[in-house]
């Protein structure tokens, strides 16, 4: 039997460390023992199959209960590729986010900002044959959290992606260009390499922007590639 | 060469994408030996992780239109999670090896900047002895952190300890 091609390890500095003291919630939740490395098997190189009929698309978050949500309407779109330059088609992309006032429609969110009866904040689509996805939503507001004095999360949209193998599972956050909170955010700053961090910032895209309707932001994803670690330029 | 996108925490509000029925992998009519998996997610002080998302993936039985092979469940106020799925059989390993029946688990939570990956095996399965991954864990107490124990008919339990005494073996994935 041919062994499945393993996924490559992450490039140095591109993934956050489990133990990140500036983000207080990591202190009792990060493992102390070294992580166990092993060669990927079918369990890691294969992944979920979601029949689209069972997982209906929710591509427009900007309308709920028949009316438009408050806030700045935006289009968020992009492409899911892997490190080998291959498109990742037909893969589930989930998003969730706060409303324009910086409040989640979630019982644990007690931020003193208004809920919007016409915004819930959940989206789900599958990429097309070229790996493309697209949502219409509302630009989320910043909100305070209690990590440190006067701590505020930058505007962000949460993303969940699956890819073709379980070892490609990706949970991340998309940020917005020009946000002054980014350089003060320990979650964003937990990624050691600046270039990797900056790839989490969407790009304003006039081509995606729909006249008289919504601003466009492009946000592309790269999932892990397969095979041996390529030689790095040093 | 492009580099893989960085992970960020799932945060405390991921329940916006929670659909409780996803914890039942048999809901689309999959046929086979149904089992219930239970457990708790616990932090370094023994406190329940009440906002964790637990995900399972199994390569066997093969996923198809009736069996997604994947489930997601929330931890409750006591850190407890629960899945209903089909009992996996052995899965090919690398080379000529076979792996004992197991599931992959991903733990996501506020305070986890990237997922923690582990596995769930079944106590008493004689194939555990020859499983390459279990065999790579020298300390029997550490190995036991991956092995669910039966608590009732067709029901298996595994606690996930993120840190400290009895810390689960997590993978450099």
């Amino acid at each position: 039997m041919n062994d499945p091609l393993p996924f490559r390890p992450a490039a140095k500095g591109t993934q956050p460390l489990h133990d990140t003291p500036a983000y207080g919630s990591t202190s009792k939740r990060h493992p102390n023992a070294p992580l166990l490395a092993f060669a990927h098997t079918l369990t890691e190189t294969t992944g979920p199959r979601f029949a689209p009929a069972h997982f209906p698309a929710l591509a427009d978050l900007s309308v709920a209960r028949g009316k438009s949500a408050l806030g700045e309407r935006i289009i968020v779109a992009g492409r899911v590729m892997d490190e080998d330059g291959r498109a990742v088609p037909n893969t589930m992309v989930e998003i969730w986010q706060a409303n324009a006032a910086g409040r989640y429609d979630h019982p644990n969110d007690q931020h003193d900002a208004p809920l919007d009866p016409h915004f819930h904040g959940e989206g789900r689509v599958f990429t097309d044959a070229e790996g493309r996805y697209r949502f219409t939503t509302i630009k989320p507001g910043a909100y305070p959290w209690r990590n440190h004095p006067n701590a505020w999360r930058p505007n962000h949209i949460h993303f969940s992606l699956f890819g073709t193998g379980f070892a490609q599972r990706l949970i991340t956050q998309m940020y917005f260009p020009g946000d002054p909170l980014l350089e003060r955010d320990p979650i964003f700053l937990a990624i050691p390499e600046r270039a990797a961090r900056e790839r989490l910032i969407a790009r304003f895209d006039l081509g995606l922007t729909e006249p008289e309707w919504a601003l466009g932001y492009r946000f592309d994803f790269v999932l892990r590639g397969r095979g041996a670690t390529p030689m790095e330029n040093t | 060469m492009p580099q893989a996108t960085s992970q960020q925490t799932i945060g405390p509000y991921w329940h916006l994408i929670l659909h409780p029925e996803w914890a039942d992998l048999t809901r689309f009519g999959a046929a086979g030996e149904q089992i219930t998996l239970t457990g708790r997610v616990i932090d370094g002080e023994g406190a329940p992780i009440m906002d964790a998302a637990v995900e399972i993936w199994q390569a066997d039985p093969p996923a198809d239109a009736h069996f997604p092979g994947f489930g997601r469940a929330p931890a409750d106020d006591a850190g407890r999670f629960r899945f209903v799925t089909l009992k996996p059989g052995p899965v090919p390993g690398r080379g000529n090896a076979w792996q004992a029946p197991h599931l992959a688990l991903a733990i996501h939570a506020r305070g986890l900047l990237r997922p923690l990956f582990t596995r769930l095996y079944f106590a008493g399965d004689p194939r555990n002895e020859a499983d390459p991954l279990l065999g790579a864990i020298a300390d029997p107490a550490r190995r036991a952190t991956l092995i669910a124990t039966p608590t009732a008919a067709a029901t298996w339990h595994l606690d996930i300890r993120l840190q400290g005494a009895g810390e689960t073996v997590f993978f450099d994935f």
Side-chain angles (χ1 to χ4, degrees):
Chain A
M1 170 176 303
N2 290 329
D3 283 335
L5 264 182
F7 290 103
R8 284 197 291 277
K12 192 171 180 299
T14 62
Q15 297 296 338
L17 301 177
H18 288 293
D19 182 9
T20 297
Y23 175 21
S25 296
T26 67
S27 69
K28 298 298 176 199
R29 296 185 170 194
H30 69 81
N32 287 326
L35 303 180
L36 176 70
F38 66 99
H40 289 163
T41 71
L42 276 184
T43 301
E44 292 74 38
T45 60
T46 58
R49 295 257 296 275
F50 297 109
H54 290 143
F55 299 90
L58 301 159
D60 186 354
L61 292 71
S62 73
V63 176
R65 300 186 183 98
K67 286 191 178 170
S68 291
L70 293 172
E72 185 181 340
R73 188 182 298 113
I74 60 173
I75 292 159
V76 177
R79 207 165 170 206
V80 184
M81 310 280 286
D82 69 18
E83 289 176 315
D84 303 315
R86 284 185 288 252
V88 184
N90 311 315
T91 194
M92 187 192 286
V93 179
E94 299 171 286
I95 67 171
W96 68 103
Q97 61 168 93
N99 69 20
R103 176 86 183 261
Y104 286 87
D105 185 13
H106 187 291
N108 293 351
D109 186 358
Q110 299 297 315
H111 175 35
D112 183 12
L115 286 166
D116 180 345
H118 303 296
F119 187 80
H120 176 53
E122 178 195 16
R124 176 203 300 145
V125 296
F126 289 86
T127 57
D128 70 12
E130 279 80 47
R132 296 181 198 285
Y133 76 91
R134 178 188 174 98
F135 292 101
T136 302
T137 185
I138 296 292
K139 188 174 181 184
Y143 58 85
W145 61 313
R146 292 175 180 162
N147 186 69
H148 55 274
N150 210 6
W152 293 76
R153 288 303 324 282
N155 304 347
H156 63 276
I157 296 176
H158 295 267
F159 274 82
S160 154
L161 289 90
F162 290 86
T164 57
F166 198 54
Q168 283 183 316
R169 188 87 179 89
L170 173 65
I171 304 261
T172 191
Q173 300 180 28
M174 181 201 101
Y175 300 100
F176 289 85
D179 191 330
L181 296 170
L182 285 169
E183 291 306 316
R184 297 168 173 83
D185 181 52
I187 293 176
F188 178 70
L189 295 174
I191 302 160
E193 288 284 335
R194 171 174 291 273
R197 290 200 291 276
E198 290 181 348
R199 286 195 292 272
L200 295 186
I201 303 172
R203 283 183 295 116
F204 171 69
D205 188 330
L206 194 63
L208 267 181
T209 298
E210 293 198 7
E212 317 297 327
W213 183 249
L215 294 179
Y217 288 91
R218 177 165 299 279
F219 190 56
D220 295 327
F221 292 91
V222 180
L223 303 181
R224 296 169 72 178
R226 297 191 191 235
T229 307
M231 296 296 287
E232 290 195 29
N233 298 323
T234 48
Chain B
M1 164 118 16
Q3 294 176 336
T5 304
S6 304
Q7 307 262 357
Q8 294 273 267
T9 182
I10 200 168
Y13 304 125
W14 68 269
H15 306 85
L16 286 176
I17 59 163
L18 169 63
H19 298 275
E21 66 272 20
W22 287 29
D24 180 357
L25 286 72
T26 67
R27 68 193 182 282
F28 302 128
E33 181 188 349
Q34 189 168 305
I35 56 171
T36 298
L37 303 176
T38 63
R40 295 179 72 210
V41 191
I42 298 159
D43 76 7
E45 292 182 329
I49 297 191
M50 298 181 280
D51 51 12
V54 180
E55 293 181 340
I56 60 173
W57 157 248
Q58 54 192 95
D60 188 82
D64 63 22
H66 300 290
F67 185 67
F70 173 86
R72 179 187 290 152
D76 69 11
D77 287 351
R80 292 175 301 206
F81 62 86
R82 182 176 186 276
F83 291 97
V84 174
T85 187
L86 299 181
K87 183 106 188 278
V91 174
R94 298 189 71 81
N96 294 319
W98 279 81
Q99 304 182 88
H102 67 276
L103 300 91
L105 276 75
I107 312 298
H108 314 274
R110 172 179 59 87
L112 295 184
L113 282 157
R114 50 192 170 113
L116 286 172
F117 291 99
T118 186
R119 282 189 180 184
L120 181 154
Y121 288 84
F122 298 89
D125 192 312
R127 293 165 288 201
N128 289 345
E129 299 305 317
D131 182 82
L133 188 143
L134 289 177
I137 305 169
D139 178 351
R142 295 275 290 153
R143 203 180 309 141
T145 68
L146 305 188
I147 301 176
T149 51
T151 53
T155 301
W156 300 79
H157 185 93
L158 183 68
D159 288 336
I160 311 291
R161 292 183 173 82
L162 300 197
Q163 187 187 80
E167 183 178 303
T168 296
V169 173
F170 295 107
F171 304 147
D172 183 2
F173 222 53

